[in-house]
Amino acid sequence: MIAVTAEQLPGDPAPKAGISVTGLGIGSSLVNVWRIADGKRKPVRGARRITMNDASFVTDWDVPTNRSVVYEVEVLSGPGGPARATAESLVVEAASSWLMDPFVPQTAMPILGQRKQNGDVYLRGPALSALEYSADTSIFNIMGDNEPIGLFGQRMAEKGLDLSMGTRSAEENKRLKNLLLSTSSFLFRPGPELAGVELEGSMFILNPTAVQVPIDTLWGGEITWWDFKADTVKAPTLKVLTATFTYGDVKIMFTTYGQKQAAMAGRTYLDDLKNPLG
């Protein structure tokens, strides 16, 4: 019988959850791991349609903090057939907000709602002072009628999210700068100080421009501000296609190009990349 347990994992570089799956049965099982938080059910990044054998362990680096999270395992196929199992509710605690490259957890940095000491990276006054929720709309005039037709689309998630930051530490500013220059895609997880803003616990954001403002560093100080605005987007995924066959393998199997064409009749280019031997 399938069993699922979830726990907060200790250690750096950032808060994370571990999901243990057991009882799948000997043999390959095709599995989805879902996370339910903030009233939404989303797949754990990197754990959709994955193969497990009897038991497995998944680390969720995107887990929302300081709120209830429930993990669900959905077995699509396997020795025991389709099935579902749910873990008990989990709360991953964190004392601050976190910003990181979603593909490199080691870049994670704690972000405080207000500065407590010089080594902190903190949100400045303008941060989160306004939240924009836009929708695509179009208006078409009708000949002979003074009321036009209005068409509208889905209202989008937060846009122009202001996460302007500051630091009074040259060392922490260097870390923050390295993070901001390394990518335009970020994972932001708001901490307990931002609970009143009612943001989702796990936000993937795109930032086209980050502006560094050295307040007093030119005359020996360490105060640096960063103007940082971003739009909320879906979680990024990384897909890599690797060759498992060499040209030599294909040459051994086929003497002429005509033989290769005959073997690939009715198949797509991607089919050929996955299995060029037919």
Side-chain angles (χ1 to χ4, degrees), residues 114-234:
Q114 64 181 59
R115 184 177 66 86
K116 298 178 181 178
Q117 56 187 3
N118 284 351
D120 295 336
V121 177
Y122 57 92
L123 293 175
R124 288 163 41 214
L128 301 175
S129 57
L131 301 176
E132 177 184 344
Y133 302 90
S134 64
D136 291 331
T137 61
S138 299
I139 294 179
F140 299 92
N141 294 329
I142 305 172
M143 186 177 295
D145 196 325
N146 65 354
E147 294 181 339
I149 293 176
L151 300 180
F152 58 92
Q154 175 78 30
R155 191 168 295 281
M156 297 292 100
E158 293 84 358
K159 184 179 180 181
L161 192 69
D162 192 334
L163 293 176
S164 296
M165 293 168 280
T167 177
R168 299 194 178 197
S169 164
E171 181 181 354
E172 289 307 300
N173 180 64
K174 184 178 181 180
R175 284 186 61 204
L176 179 59
K177 184 174 183 177
N178 288 341
L179 169 59
L180 298 183
L181 294 184
S182 67
T183 182
S184 297
S185 174
F186 301 90
L187 168 62
F188 178 67
R189 290 183 286 175
E193 296 171 306
L194 305 181
V197 188
E198 297 183 352
L199 298 172
E200 281 196 27
S202 185
M203 304 178 68
F204 293 92
I205 55 178
L206 279 184
N207 163 253
T209 305
V211 180
Q212 182 178 8
V213 185
I215 300 299
D216 64 355
T217 57
L218 295 180
W219 52 87
E222 293 188 334
I223 301 177
T224 302
W225 288 356
W226 286 90
D227 295 335
F228 183 95
K229 290 188 177 181
D231 296 337
T232 306
V233 295
K234 282 190 175 294

Side-chain angles (χ1 to χ4, degrees), residues 8-177:
Q8 178 171 356
L9 298 179
D12 295 332
K16 52 192 176 293
I19 305 101
S20 299
V21 184
T22 58
L24 293 170
I26 303 300
S28 295
S29 295
L30 190 61
V31 173
N32 289 330
V33 182
W34 299 91
R35 182 201 318 117
I36 304 170
D38 297 313
K40 295 184 178 180
R41 180 175 181 261
K42 296 182 179 181
V44 173
R45 200 158 50 97
R48 189 166 190 176
R49 299 187 68 83
I50 60 174
T51 301
M52 298 181 178
N53 192 326
D54 190 35
S56 190
F57 185 84
V58 175
T59 301
D60 184 9
W61 289 98
D62 309 339
V63 57
T65 59
N66 303 300
R67 64 197 70 198
S68 176
V69 178
V70 174
Y71 288 98
E72 177 188 339
V73 170
E74 175 188 20
V75 181
L76 303 175
S77 62
R84 293 177 185 267
T86 303
E88 293 185 4
S89 177
L90 170 70
V91 176
V92 173
E93 297 182 354
S96 66
S97 301
W98 287 86
L99 183 70
M100 64 182 245
D101 181 333
F103 294 119
V104 188
Q106 290 76 13
T107 62
M109 294 193 66
I111 309 295
L112 299 182
Q114 64 181 59
R115 184 177 66 86
K116 298 178 181 178
Q117 56 187 3
N118 284 351
D120 295 336
V121 177
Y122 57 92
L123 293 175
R124 288 163 41 214
L128 301 175
S129 57
L131 301 176
E132 177 184 344
Y133 302 90
S134 64
D136 291 331
T137 61
S138 299
I139 294 179
F140 299 92
N141 294 329
I142 305 172
M143 186 177 295
D145 196 325
N146 65 354
E147 294 181 339
I149 293 176
L151 300 180
F152 58 92
Q154 175 78 30
R155 191 168 295 281
M156 297 292 100
E158 293 84 358
K159 184 179 180 181
L161 192 69
D162 192 334
L163 293 176
S164 296
M165 293 168 280
T167 177
R168 299 194 178 197
S169 164
E171 181 181 354
E172 289 307 300
N173 180 64
K174 184 178 181 180
R175 284 186 61 204
L176 179 59
K177 184 174 183 177

